Amino acid sequence: MQRGPRFRALEDLPRNARNSILMEPLWGIFATPLLYYAPLYMSSAGLSSTQIGLLGSLFLALSFVFQALAGPVTNRFGRKRTTLWADLISWTLPMLVWAVAQSFAAFAVAAALNATNRIAGVSWSLLTIEDVRPGDRPRVFGILNLIVTTCGLLTPLVGLVIARQGLTPTLRGLYFAGAIGMTVMFVWRNNITSETLSGVVARARHKELGVMQSLRHSLAEVAGMRRYPGLLGITAFYVLTIFLEQLSLFQILFLERSLRFSAQSLSYVPVAGVVVTGLLYALVLPRLAGLPVGRTLVLTRALGLIGAVALLLVPIGNLSVMLLVVSLLGGATFLTQTYREAALFARLPTAGAADLYSAVQTLALLCSVPAAALAGAVFAASPRGLFVLIAAVCTLLLGLAVWLARREGRQS
């Protein structure tokens, strides 16, 4: 019996990467539409844009705390065990809270629980990627990003239900379903993955250490970050892209309030993203494989800057132009995330990867803590002004990418 193209694309990957990819749709079918509609859901529950921004900053501040513990916890308990328990705490529990939330306090509790996903993010990334050959890592990240984006095809279906049943009851039901579906996925994935080779070594090194001792060990590793060529530069790029993602939280509210698109019209945004991401994965990623990472980052951020400026020029109510612009922005984000992660992992040493990867994300979170609150305040004062700020950050990112590319060229 012949394998289909989907399985041929996975058959040369290690067990963990292959099974993580196969399980990802069970997370994406719930998370993608729920995360997309979350700002509208909070707004429908009576939260102001300022409160939504404060929730974003609360989430980031707590994420910073959990990110600082992610490396030590992952090393102490292993990639596999940490991923299971952190996912259950950071997704199953908040899904249940979101399903019944009716106040700022309830949303704050859900945000606090969801912030623990910073631990799961480190452990799951290492569980998935550590045993993969470096040359195959962009492909793995690309497939995972493509799967999550493809799940956006469900968003118009959710939009149809919202049009008939209303936003709040539809999303409450989807949150309940997500709690059940994600729990099944987490347990199933745990049964078909195994601890990585590096994870076994890390557990042996950290098994006699308490979490705080392990944290001090991690900080010692971080203190030597400058020993690794190019790590500081890509870290700065990583930090700024995370900051930009937090500023972009209000895009859906901007499209609804300022450009006057209905929830049904907005449900087509993820579909456009699926089309663009699929084309990029099939046609662009193979052609970028031979390019230096620095030059690739320049290309992705140039697209991002063009999209950010174009968003300010979208005519009110023009659906086709809006979909074209947000597709461009989505494509730039997809390529940035794919090559940003690959570039970072390429500069991490085998020993201490969990500590340094967690440290980069911790720094990114620390710098991004004020971003959501800043975005909420600016949006409340001037929705268009927020997206002028986003365009300015895109300009900084493009300049940094050009600097990284030139530095890479001098070192080659």
Side-chain angles (χ1 to χ4, degrees):
M1 181 176 176
Q2 287 189 334
R3 292 172 178 250
R6 178 170 68 105
F7 292 100
R8 286 199 299 271
L10 305 181
E11 62 186 5
D12 62 332
L13 295 175
R15 176 187 178 188
N16 285 356
R18 184 172 63 251
N19 288 332
S20 290
I21 288 171
L22 292 174
M23 290 289 99
E24 191 68 5
L26 297 180
W27 181 86
I29 59 176
F30 298 107
T32 302
L34 288 173
L35 292 174
Y36 177 70
Y37 282 116
L40 293 182
Y41 179 64
M42 288 186 281
S43 180
S44 73
L47 273 64
S48 67
S49 59
T50 301
Q51 288 176 314
I52 294 172
L54 287 174
L55 282 174
S57 285
L58 172 66
F59 172 79
L60 289 171
L62 293 174
S63 294
F64 168 73
V65 175
F66 290 118
Q67 189 70 59
L69 296 173
V73 170
T74 298
N75 286 329
R76 179 70 174 81
F77 298 103
R79 280 71 164 135
K80 180 179 174 179
R81 186 190 302 178
T82 301
T83 298
L84 173 63
W85 288 104
D87 271 336
L88 290 172
I89 294 170
S90 65
W91 287 108
T92 299
L93 293 182
M95 281 283 179
L96 294 173
V97 177
W98 279 319
V100 298
Q102 295 182 336
S103 66
F104 178 84
F107 281 105
V109 170
L113 290 168
N114 189 229
T116 61
N117 71 30
R118 305 312 305 188
I119 296 177
V122 170
S123 62
W124 174 79
S125 295
L126 294 172
L127 181 71
T128 300
I129 211 70
E130 273 189 327
D131 292 338
V132 177
R133 294 188 300 269
D136 289 332
R137 287 174 178 174
R139 173 159 60 105
V140 172
F141 285 122
I143 293 173
L144 289 168
N145 287 335
L146 179 62
I147 288 171
V148 174
T149 305
T150 301
C151 290
L153 289 172
L154 297 173
T155 306
L157 298 179
V158 176
L160 288 174
V161 179
I162 289 174
R164 294 184 178 183
Q165 303 297 327
L167 181 82
T168 300
T170 299
L171 294 187
R172 289 197 191 284
L174 194 55
Y175 277 119
F176 273 121
I180 297 170
M182 286 187 180
T183 300
V184 171
M185 178 263 194
F186 298 148
V187 174
W188 190 355
R189 184 184 59 197
N190 186 69
N191 288 333
I192 60 175
T193 54
S194 57
E195 188 61 67
T196 67
L197 296 177
S198 296
V200 171
V201 173
R203 285 191 66 187
R205 289 172 57 199
H206 289 258
K207 66 180 180 180
E208 301 299 332
L209 299 177
V211 171
M212 295 310 297
Q213 290 175 302
S214 186
L215 177 59
R216 285 194 292 271
H217 175 83
S218 299
L219 293 175
E221 292 278 352
V222 173
M225 185 182 289
R226 296 184 65 179
R227 296 196 304 266
Y228 308 108
L231 184 55
L232 287 178
I234 194 60
T235 295
F237 184 88
Y238 195 103
V239 167
L240 200 54
T241 57
I242 299 296
F243 187 88
L244 177 64
E245 289 167 10
Q246 298 305 315
L247 289 180
S248 301
L249 173 68
F250 288 86
Q251 178 177 293
I252 187 172
L253 291 177
F254 176 70
L255 296 176
E256 181 203 37
R257 296 181 185 179
S258 299
L259 300 186
R260 303 175 190 173
F261 292 104
S262 66
Q264 181 63 53
S265 297
L266 293 175
S267 71
Y268 296 111
V269 170
V271 177
V274 170
V275 174
V276 170
T277 300
L279 291 173
L280 289 173
Y281 180 79
L283 302 177
V284 177
L285 284 186
R287 289 169 171 78
L288 294 179
L291 289 179
V293 173
R295 290 176 60 187
T296 303
L297 294 179
V298 171
L299 172 63
T300 64
R301 293 323 312 161
L303 292 175
L305 177 57
I306 293 171
V309 173
L311 187 63
L312 292 166
L313 305 176
V314 173
I316 293 176
N318 192 316
L319 182 60
S320 58
V321 174
M322 184 271 284
L323 290 177
L324 179 64
V325 172
V326 297
S327 296
L328 178 61
L329 285 168
T333 299
F334 168 75
L335 290 173
T336 299
Q337 291 175 343
T338 296
Y339 285 94
R340 175 189 70 190
E341 301 291 339
L344 177 58
F345 269 95
R347 288 164 174 78
L348 295 178
T350 301
D355 297 321
L356 288 171
Y357 182 56
S358 179
V360 171
Q361 293 196 318
T362 300
L363 181 60
L365 287 169
L366 177 62
C367 294
S368 299
V369 165
L374 172 64
V378 174
F379 186 84
S382 171
R384 191 167 294 273
L386 173 60
F387 290 88
V388 171
L389 175 61
I390 287 173
V393 175
C394 286
T395 302
L396 288 175
L397 267 172
L398 177 58
L400 181 56
V402 170
W403 180 81
L404 287 171
R406 289 177 176 174
R407 190 175 188 278
E408 186 178 62
R410 288 196 299 268
Q411 291 177 342
S412 61

